[in-house]
Amino acid sequence: MGDKTRAHTGAAGGTPRAGHPRALRNVALVGHSGSGKTTLVEALAQTAGAVNRAGRVEDGTTVSDHEEIEHRQNRSVQLSLVPVDWGGFRINLLDTPGYADFVGEVRAGLRAADAALFVVSAAQEAEAVAGTTRALWEECAAVGMPRAIVVTRLDTARTPFDAMTRLCGELFGADDPDAVLPLHLPVLGPEAADGHAPLTGLTGLLPQRVFDYSGGERAERPPTDDERVPLAGARARLIEGIIAESEDETLMDRYLAGETIDTETLVADLERAVARGSFHPVLAAAPAADGARQGIGTVELLDLITGGFPTPLEHPLPAVTTPDGSPLPALDGDPEGPLVAEVVKTSSDPYVGRLSLVRVFSGTLRPEDTVHVYGHGLGDPAHGDRPCHEARTRVGALTSPFGKQQRPLDACVAGDLACVARLDTAETGDTLSGTGHPLLLEPWTTPDALLPLAVRAHSKADEDKLSHGLARLAAEDPAMRLEQNPDTGQLVLWCLGEAHLDVALDRLRDHYGVQVDTVPYLVALRETFAGPATGRGRHVKQSGGHGQYAVCEIDVEPLPAGSGVEFVDRVVGGAVPRPFIASVEKGVRAQAARGVAAGHPLVDIRVVLRDGKAHSVDSSDAAFQTAGALALREAAAEAHVRFLEPVAEVRVLVPDDYVGPVMSDLSGRRGRVTGTEQSGTGRTLVRADVPELEIGRYAVDLRALTHGTGRFDRSYARHEPMPAQLADRVHARQG
């Protein structure tokens, strides 16, 4: 770091390799959409010599080339891995999507990483930085993941660098603002005609040297007199912040006594504090200018990654159990230990087939190994449609991705990542372990998919391929949930947002050749009687042979919510023979399941069988079933049938500034706010009961209302009577 420059060891275009976990660094780049993560990855790869000056690898692609779907979406929609070599270290750069719909990919990247690099753009509004990025910062803080911050696009900045560092301190340093401080100050060139000044270099606060990139190559020089003025104050604050995090308790006393602390000691303490996750440096970076070999700040950033971020041996590993849930000792990341690896991403390549991106946590994975695959779905009961599964399978080729190439690997040691071919039985989140002692990693959580889209096959040919295509989609993307709704019969894709839905449909069409039509999503309504009624069912037919004869009379009365359908026999004198009473009940329940007004299930009623008639020859089970159904329909024609709509308990977590607008919006959706409570610093949890008819698109609407800062979850609470003025309209729309 600082004035240290590590000579990279890999030749341009060569595949970086590492022989031990201590030589590895796994870093996830996280940030809001448009912050410049992918551009930064390309700049780092160019500085490390992995790509040429045009930013291209041997096959002519860029390191960030994504599938065609991503080009159509005009955004990164999936996790990608870019390995580079720097100073004898292998750095696995995990480029994550910035758009909120693909936070599932971000969490997969964080699972595979040992540190996170938060990328924020000075060219975007503060609200864009504050939304999803802050939520992810808090997730990383909860697990103690080391983090650093990179400010990009200073040449087109809406906000100057000093203001950006203050903003980062406010957003990410709520507990300790002095733990979020810059390591460098930007050096800006002459102001251009558009009013923006280009970034030409950085002034290192600790070494007090200027790293000047204006000549196309990184050069060092002492700061000018003008550059020294802001340097002194920023340097003093940085030194105090580092000393406050130092493990040497005498350092602060020595500093306050006026002793000069040498730069080497400060750098070492800084690196240890970063690796512990207690100090979060702020850096600035920009891609290389035309003709330049190195991007501005990329050398400093690579040095921070190799010197300050933890090795896989230093970062706590996920808990491990036996498949039956018995806890086991913590993993230590030993390459010679038992094999424990995890599928963090599943994708399909048109030429190679199914590819699994795997992080090895213990042991060493080799081509042609036979492994035990165990999967239990990811996260919580919302993903209960992903059943447990296990199998033994042989590992295919191991490769390291770079651009569109897959470069062969001889092995993947603990702490490293690789793409594995032919893991056809493995899904995202599955654990790979040795066949002798199957193990299971504690799963990471995925966000709840809360935006529904009902689909159906476009043609008979699509119908034959639909189940296979959807199963493959679910295996690739655990943030998506598939549901065959038992009440409406619809096939529903639950996703995180509209962009997530669009990508799912694109993949279904382009990867699996399945064309689907979207149809309106139906909410599962119910019917009930508003008051008591009577009905008589008469089913009498004579057709020359064996006839049909059954008559039954029933009383129907409403019951409290949640009572279902209750059947009571009050027949006296054997008017309906005992064997046929069960037949009447079967007919009544079958008709209730079909509905009596608009085809929705009938619930919360008591049906009393009080009388009837039978024939010694022509009565039968089928005849009395039919009579029971007819009696219930006649009673419904006499009574007023009400519609019941499902009501969800909704929990919305928002910054305090948005509590008023959120509560007003929920009220406009016929919701009843049931309470609010503080949830951490500056956040409020709003609880409300809201009809499900009103929250079909709430995942999209809440994001717009709160500028991406609000989150919510929902759960079924009960069915309630629908307002009369809405019943006819909803029936027309859903019927």
Side-chain angles (χ1 to χ4, degrees):
M1 287 170 45
D3 59 347
K4 298 186 299 179
T5 303
R6 306 179 191 272
H8 68 274
T9 58
T15 303
R17 297 180 185 271
H20 193 275
R22 294 192 186 281
L24 292 168
R25 301 291 186 274
N26 299 311
V27 183
L29 280 80
V30 179
H32 52 285
S33 182
S35 61
K37 297 183 298 298
T38 301
T39 302
L40 180 59
V41 168
E42 293 175 350
L44 293 171
Q46 180 176 341
T47 296
V51 297
N52 59 29
R53 294 191 180 187
R56 298 193 170 270
V57 294
E58 294 168 353
D59 62 356
T61 65
T62 67
V63 297
S64 59
D65 273 339
H66 296 299
E67 57 183 291
E68 183 184 350
I69 290 173
E70 301 204 356
H71 293 307
R72 288 202 298 271
Q73 293 290 326
N74 196 30
R75 58 172 69 92
S76 294
V77 301
Q78 62 179 347
L79 174 70
S80 63
L81 170 64
V82 178
V84 301
D85 227 16
W86 184 253
F89 294 87
R90 174 170 178 162
I91 304 174
N92 288 317
L93 299 170
L94 292 149
D95 185 11
T96 67
Y99 197 66
D101 281 13
F102 307 104
V103 68
E105 297 278 320
V106 179
R107 291 187 181 178
L110 291 173
R111 174 65 160 215
D114 301 307
L117 197 60
F118 279 73
V119 184
V120 297
S121 171
Q124 292 184 306
E125 298 289 351
E127 286 181 337
V129 180
T132 305
T133 310
R134 180 176 177 179
L136 291 171
W137 181 276
E138 292 171 353
E139 288 186 25
C140 291
V143 298
M145 177 171 282
R147 286 145 284 154
I149 303 159
V150 182
V151 179
T152 60
R153 301 189 174 165
L154 286 167
D155 53 342
T156 57
R158 292 174 181 262
T159 310
F161 183 75
D162 58 344
M164 284 300 301
T165 57
R166 287 196 300 271
L167 174 64
C168 290
E170 294 169 2
L171 292 177
F172 307 137
D175 297 330
D176 185 6
D178 289 334
V180 181
L181 295 171
L183 297 186
H184 310 90
L185 296 180
V187 177
L188 302 177
E191 190 174 288
D194 60 2
H196 292 111
L199 182 66
T200 61
L202 301 170
T203 302
L205 296 182
L206 292 182
Q208 302 185 84
R209 301 284 290 176
V210 174
F211 308 116
D212 193 341
Y213 290 81
S214 59
E217 297 288 337
R218 183 178 184 269
E220 291 188 29
R221 62 172 175 80
T224 65
D225 291 340
D226 289 340
E227 291 166 341
R228 288 185 185 276
V229 174
L231 174 61
R235 185 174 191 272
R237 189 179 179 199
L238 174 61
I239 291 175
E240 291 171 5
I242 294 172
I243 292 176
E245 300 295 337
S246 175
E247 296 174 349
D248 184 351
E249 296 179 359
T250 69
L251 205 58
M252 181 61 77
D253 293 335
R254 290 159 51 195
Y255 177 73
L256 293 176
E259 180 179 337
T260 299
I261 310 300
D262 62 273
T263 301
E264 289 73 17
T265 298
L266 292 171
V267 168
D269 278 343
L270 170 63
E271 291 178 342
R272 283 191 288 268
V274 172
R276 287 197 311 270
S278 60
F279 189 86
H280 314 294
V282 182
L283 300 92
D290 292 341
R293 186 181 69 83
Q294 297 172 335
I296 298 174
T298 52
V299 170
E300 291 75 18
L301 186 50
L302 290 167
D303 281 343
L304 173 68
I305 290 171
T306 55
F309 282 173
T311 72
L313 297 174
E314 296 171 307
H315 186 64
L317 300 180
V320 63
T321 67
T322 61
D324 63 6
S326 301
L328 293 173
L331 299 173
D332 58 8
D334 183 1
E336 303 301 323
L339 175 65
V340 183
E342 186 172 41
V343 179
V344 295
K345 178 178 173 58
T346 309
S347 59
S348 297
D349 185 279
Y351 304 105
V352 181
R354 194 170 188 174
L355 283 174
S356 302
L357 179 61
V358 171
R359 161 75 191 258
V360 179
F361 290 102
S362 173
T364 300
L365 185 65
R366 295 180 175 86
E368 304 305 320
D369 279 353
T370 298
V371 298
H372 182 272
V373 178
Y374 193 93
H376 47 26
L378 288 175
D380 52 37
H383 300 92
D385 54 335
R386 301 177 185 274
C388 294
H389 56 274
E390 58 181 318
R392 287 190 177 192
T393 188
R394 177 168 290 183
V395 173
L398 299 184
T399 56
S400 178
F402 209 83
K404 291 186 177 179
Q405 294 182 351
Q406 294 289 336
R407 299 175 177 177
L409 294 175
D410 298 328
C412 184
V413 301
D416 208 351
L417 293 102
C419 287
V420 183
R422 301 207 312 265
L423 282 181
D424 292 337
T425 59
E427 300 180 358
T428 300
D430 286 1
T431 301
L432 311 182
S433 59
T435 55
H437 300 282
L439 301 173
L440 181 62
L441 287 166
E442 181 182 49
W444 77 84
T445 58
T446 57
D448 289 338
L450 296 170
L451 182 66
L453 180 73
V455 298
R456 64 186 176 199
H458 180 70
S459 65
K460 175 62 177 175
D462 294 310
E463 188 174 329
D464 296 337
K465 297 181 291 184
L466 182 59
S467 60
H468 172 73
L470 291 174
R472 294 292 294 272
L473 271 184
E476 292 179 10
D477 187 357
M480 178 188 302
R481 181 159 55 94
L482 302 178
E483 176 192 31
Q484 184 74 52
N485 191 297
D487 294 312
T488 65
Q490 288 188 318
L491 181 62
V492 183
L493 296 179
W494 290 86
C495 292
L496 300 178
E498 290 182 314
H500 194 199
L501 286 173
D502 291 342
V503 168
L505 296 178
D506 283 345
R507 285 179 175 159
L508 197 61
R509 180 184 64 248
D510 297 343
H511 285 194
Y512 306 115
V514 181
Q515 189 80 25
V516 296
D517 297 326
T518 61
V519 295
Y521 170 68
L522 303 182
V523 169
L525 302 180
R526 300 282 187 269
E527 300 171 358
T528 193
F529 278 49
T534 61
R536 184 172 189 268
R538 184 175 185 276
H539 183 61
V540 178
K541 288 187 177 181
Q542 295 293 334
S543 55
H546 185 70
Q548 299 181 50
Y549 188 95
V551 178
C552 63
E553 297 179 4
I554 63 172
D555 295 327
V556 183
E557 58 187 81
L559 292 178
S563 300
V565 176
E566 181 182 328
F567 184 84
V568 179
D569 168 26
R570 290 183 183 165
V571 174
V572 295
V576 177
R578 180 62 47 188
F580 295 139
I581 291 176
S583 302
V584 175
E585 180 179 1
K586 188 182 297 184
V588 166
R589 291 189 180 278
Q591 184 62 55
R594 294 190 297 268
V596 293
H600 306 299
L602 181 67
V603 296
D604 302 336
I605 57 169
R606 176 183 291 125
V607 178
V608 178
L609 176 61
R610 56 179 171 78
D611 201 358
K613 294 181 181 179
H615 190 277
S616 59
V617 175
D618 293 340
S619 290
S620 64
D621 171 67
F624 271 98
Q625 284 191 47
T626 302
L630 290 171
L632 188 60
R633 292 206 297 267
E634 183 177 291
E638 174 186 320
H640 174 59
V641 176
R642 302 173 67 178
F643 289 110
L644 303 176
E645 60 179 338
V647 174
E649 181 184 353
V650 177
R651 295 163 292 275
V652 189
L653 182 64
V654 292
D656 293 344
D657 293 344
Y658 293 104
V659 171
V662 165
M663 293 176 66
S664 176
D665 178 72
L666 291 172
S667 297
R669 297 172 185 270
R670 298 191 286 128
R672 297 186 301 274
V673 175
T674 58
T676 61
E677 60 189 76
Q678 286 299 122
S679 179
T681 304
R683 298 220 165 184
T684 299
L685 181 68
V686 179
R687 299 179 182 273
D689 292 341
V690 189
E692 290 191 9
L693 282 167
E694 306 292 342
I695 55 173
R697 289 180 50 82
Y698 193 58
V700 177
D701 298 338
L702 178 65
R703 186 178 301 164
L705 181 65
T706 63
H707 297 277
T709 60
R711 289 178 287 171
F712 84 104
D713 61 69
R714 55 187 279 188
S715 59
Y716 170 77
R718 60 193 170 274
H719 273 72
E720 291 184 353
M722 180 184 297
Q725 65 270 23
L726 292 179
D728 292 341
R729 184 169 39 139
V730 171
H731 177 222
R733 188 171 69 222
Q734 295 210 156

